[in-house]
Amino acid sequence: MTIGAAVVTGAVYAGLSIWDNREKIAEFGGKVADGVDRANDAIKKGAGKLADGAKNLVSKYNPFD
């Protein structure tokens, strides 16, 4: 019985703690999404530069170009 009461008390405490901090949690989720967008943009730019460099390298050493 004591273990069950401790589990229920912990679950209630965790739920109320999440409820009390829901604004902070939502802000953090927005910050994470912004960070993912910035990382995605950086990866796209890097991949574009890599592709351009590969094209230039192939053009430089391709005798039929």
Side-chain angles (χ1 to χ4, degrees):
M1 172 95 74
T2 305
I3 294 172
V7 169
V8 170
T9 302
V12 170
Y13 177 78
L16 291 175
S17 179
I18 291 170
W19 181 258
D20 285 342
N21 294 304
R22 65 188 179 277
E23 291 91 10
K24 291 179 184 177
I25 293 170
E27 289 174 11
F28 179 73
K31 289 179 183 178
V32 169
D34 291 342
V36 169
D37 289 341
R38 285 194 303 261
N40 190 22
D41 291 342
I43 290 170
K44 285 180 182 178
K45 286 179 186 177
K49 288 180 181 180
L50 181 64
D52 291 340
K55 288 177 187 175
N56 290 338
L57 182 66
V58 169
S59 293
K60 184 176 181 178
Y61 292 107
N62 186 358
F64 302 109
D65 214 9

